[in-house]
Amino acid sequence: MDMVVVVLPGDGIGPEVVAQGVKVLVTVAEKFGHALKTTQADIGGLAIDKHGTPLPETTLNLCQGSSAVLLGAVGGPKWDDPSAQFRPEDGLLQLRKGLGLFANLRPVKVFPAMADSSTLKPEVLDGVDLMVVRELTGGIYFGKPKRRWETNRGRRAVDTLAYTEREIERILRVGFELARGRRKHLTSVDKANVLETSRLWRQIANELAEEYTDVTLDHLYVDNCAMQLVLRPSHFDVLVSENMFGDILSDEAAILSGSLGLLSSASLARIPSTEGRRRRRTMGLYEPVHGSAPDIAGTGKANPIATILSVALMLRYSFNLHKEAGLVEQAVASVIEAGYRTADIAVDGQKPVNTTQMGQAILEAL
Ligand code: IPM
Ligand code: MG
C-alpha cells in the first residue's frame, strides 16, 4: 500500500503531538511493508505569520493531491484579536470545506483502567462506546449571510443556519452505515421543536430509516441529548447531528473518556461503507479533537494519545488497513492498562509521563 500523507503540525501543542503520531505511522509502515511518504506544510497562526493567510494555496494543493492529512491544532492568544482579518481557525474551516470533508467521526470509549479518573461515577461509564457523527461543511458555520455591520441603532451581526436535502441525506447515511457495522442504533440529534432545518433533518432521517430497516433510529432534541450524555451515556451507539450541535456534544462526550486529550477524529469526504468491499481510498483529515492548548505548549505535558488514535482512524478509513488500525488502538489501550498517564489523565499518586515518553511507550507496545 502506498500512503501519501500531508502533515500539518499547526500551532501550540500541535507540533508536539503530531511528532508522536508520525512516529507511529512510520513504525506501522515499516512493520507491515507499506510505502509511506509524508510532506509537512503550514496552517493556522503559523501560516498567518509566514504567509499572511491561515491556509496557503500550497497547503491546500498539497492536501488535495494526497489521500490523508494529519493535523495537530490551530489557534492561540497571539491571533485572538476579534478585529483581525484572519483567524487561525479559518484555515481549518477552509481546509475542511476545500477538501469536501462533510463527515466528522468522533469515537468515544472509556478505557476500563481509567473509569475511576473521570468526574462521573464509574457505574455511569460502564459500557460507554459511542460515535459522534458531525456534519462538517454546512450549517451555521458556513451559511450565508454571515456578517457584521453598523446600523443607526448599534452594531448588528448575523449567522445563517442552512441545509440542503443532499447535505442532510449524505451525513445521515454516514450515521446509518456506521450504526449498521456497530450496535445498529442511531440517534439523530436536532432541535425540531424550534428550527426549520431540524424539521427537514428529522423528516429525511425518517425516510432513510425505511431503507435501513436493520437500524433502530430515534430522535433527540439537542438539549435533552446533552443531558442524556452524562446521565446514561452507555445507551448511545451512533449519534448524528448538524455541525454546531456536533461540535458542542463532542466536547461533552469527550469527558466521558476522562480527557479531551484522548479523543480522536476523522473527517471524511465519502460515506464509509461497512461492507468492506470498497478498495478505493477515502480522502480524510485526521486530528485530535482538543485544541492548541497554548498554556501547556512546550512543557511536555500534552497528551499525544488523541493524535495517535487519529492515526489509527487514518489507517482504517483512508487506507483500509483495519488490522494495522486495530493494533495501534490495542497498543494505546495496553499502555493505559500498564499505568502510563500524561498530566491530564493522572490521578492522585500517579507520576505523569511527558509527551515523548507516552509516544515511546506506545511505540514499544506496537
Ligand atoms: C473542533 C473545533 C473547531 C470547530 C474550531 C477550532 C474551529 O472546535 O474541531 O471541534 O469548531 O469545528
Ligand atoms: Mg470543537
Side-chain angles (χ1 to χ4, degrees), residues 219-289:
H219 303 277
L220 274 188
Y221 294 142
V222 62
D223 47 351
N224 185 13
C225 181
M227 184 177 74
Q228 300 296 337
L229 264 176
V230 284
L231 215 52
R232 38 177 202 141
S234 60
H235 159 84
F236 293 104
D237 179 13
V238 180
L239 292 120
V240 60
S241 78
E242 76 91 39
N243 203 340
M244 191 165 73
F245 296 161
D247 177 45
I248 298 168
L249 292 178
S250 60
D251 264 34
E252 189 192 5
I255 57 124
L256 300 172
S257 68
S259 167
L260 201 47
L262 298 172
L263 201 62
S264 58
S265 85
S267 304
L268 309 177
R270 200 139 46 79
I271 302 167
S273 163
T274 47
E275 264 125 70
R277 269 186 268 119
R278 225 171 230 158
R279 281 282 156 253
R280 270 198 304 153
R281 288 170 200 200
T282 300
M283 175 64 204
L285 167 76
Y286 302 85
E287 52 171 326
V289 173

Side-chain angles (χ1 to χ4, degrees), residues 74 89 92-93 96 106 134 136 141 243 247 250-251 287 289:
V74 294
E89 289 82 354
L92 179 57
L93 297 177
R96 289 171 176 170
R106 298 182 164 183
R134 168 186 174 195
L136 203 60
Y141 272 53
N243 203 340
D247 177 45
S250 60
D251 264 34
E287 52 171 326
V289 173

Side-chain angles (χ1 to χ4, degrees), residues 346-366:
V347 288
D348 314 330
Q350 283 174 321
K351 188 179 171 299
V353 295
N354 67 28
T355 313
T356 317
Q357 289 165 333
M358 181 60 100
Q360 197 55 41
I362 293 168
L363 282 183
E364 277 156 28
L366 262 178

